[in-house]
């Protein structure tokens, strides 16, 4: 469905579209616990804030998804957001299969619209993961774009049947194409033909976040708006 959300006009999370995931055990050796709390998930006139902070001796943050409520397949998805900066911070706007027709990760695919690693302050990442091509095999679709993401930027995923492209502030950054560089085109190599849901979170530490320094926190990602247009 086509839909636009301006979080600057909201003061509560629309739970008919979003889930708040909680827990203290996550993948990739991350150290945060995700909570459903006004400390880590709240609104201001700037938009929706996802905040990572140290509280009672542990790091807490928030992770929200649209799993089972709002899915995407072919079209353009634009997210205007301000990413945090700081050593150990790992914010991401990304997507997972909603129904996992080929099995759990990575078999049904992952689309990383944008990720940022605080220890690499001058680049953002755009990546795809599949059964055949994923970071554990060091062969995933991966593009590092030189950029220091100060302030708000609009990250747009253009999803077509045989390509996935990222634009930042209206300028095309990179396009991954089905079968490029001799990659497999079966479901294990390119599973991007079924509905995915959106994930937005700020992780702390882990495989991409790296070493965490208390003095660099709290950190927050602010999501201003989401706009989705289905392909005709």
């Amino acid at each position: 469905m086509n839909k636009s959300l301006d979080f600057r006009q909201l003061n509560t999370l629309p739970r008919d579209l979003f889930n708040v995931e909680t827990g203290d055990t996550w993948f990739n050796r991350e150290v945060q616990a995700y909570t459903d709390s006004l400390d880590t998930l709240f609104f201001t006139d700037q938009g929706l804030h996802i905040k990572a902070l140290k509280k009672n001796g542990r790091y807490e943050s928030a992770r929200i998804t649209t799993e089972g409520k709002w899915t995407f397949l072919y079209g353009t998805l634009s997210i205007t957001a301000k990413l945090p900066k700081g050593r150990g911070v790992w914010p991401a706007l990304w997507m997972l299969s909603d129904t996992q027709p080929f099995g759990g990760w990575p078999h049904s695919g992952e689309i990383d619209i944008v990720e940022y690693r605080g220890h690499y302050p001058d680049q953002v990442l755009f990546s795809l993961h599949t059964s055949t091509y994923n970071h554990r095999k060091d062969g995933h679709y991966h593009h590092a774009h030189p950029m220091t993401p100060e302030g708000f930027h609009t990250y747009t995923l253009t999803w077509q049947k045989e390509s996935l492209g990222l634009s930042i502030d209206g300028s095309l950054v990179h396009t991954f194409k089905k079968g490029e560089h001799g990659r497999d085109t079966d479901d294990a190599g390119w599973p991007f033909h079924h509905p995915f849901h959106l994930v937005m979170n700020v992780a702390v530490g882990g495989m991409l976040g790296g070493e965490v320094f208390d003095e660099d926190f709290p950190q927050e990602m602010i999501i201003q708006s989401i706009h989705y247009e289905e392909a005709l």
Side-chain angles (χ1 to χ4, degrees), residues 186-201:
D186 58 10
D187 293 334
W190 189 269
F192 305 110
H193 49 80
H194 55 89
F196 278 54
H197 62 261
L198 178 64
V199 184
M200 302 190 293
N201 68 292

Side-chain angles (χ1 to χ4, degrees), residues 3-23:
K3 192 169 186 65
S4 294
L5 285 177
D6 187 339
F7 290 113
R8 295 169 297 181
Q9 306 301 317
L10 301 177
N11 52 33
T12 58
L13 189 70
R15 302 282 174 137
D16 59 325
L17 295 175
F18 292 94
N19 313 291
V20 180
E21 296 190 340
T22 60

Side-chain angles (χ1 to χ4, degrees), residues 77 91-95 110-117 123-129 140-146 155-160 163-168 171-177 180 183 190 192 208:
L77 172 61
L93 306 172
W94 55 298
M95 306 177 82
E110 174 182 331
I111 302 168
D112 298 324
I113 302 171
V114 65
E115 294 179 284
Y116 179 77
R117 301 170 294 174
Q123 63 178 219
V124 296
L125 306 180
F126 172 41
S127 307
L128 307 180
H129 301 267
H140 62 304
Y141 293 82
H142 175 80
H143 177 74
H145 178 65
Y155 304 94
T156 299
L157 177 73
T158 301
W159 185 355
Q160 299 177 331
S163 67
L164 286 154
L166 173 68
S167 298
I168 300 178
S171 296
L172 181 64
V173 167
H174 190 77
T175 300
F176 295 121
K177 296 180 180 179
E180 66 181 342
R183 287 189 171 102
W190 189 269
F192 305 110
L208 286 190

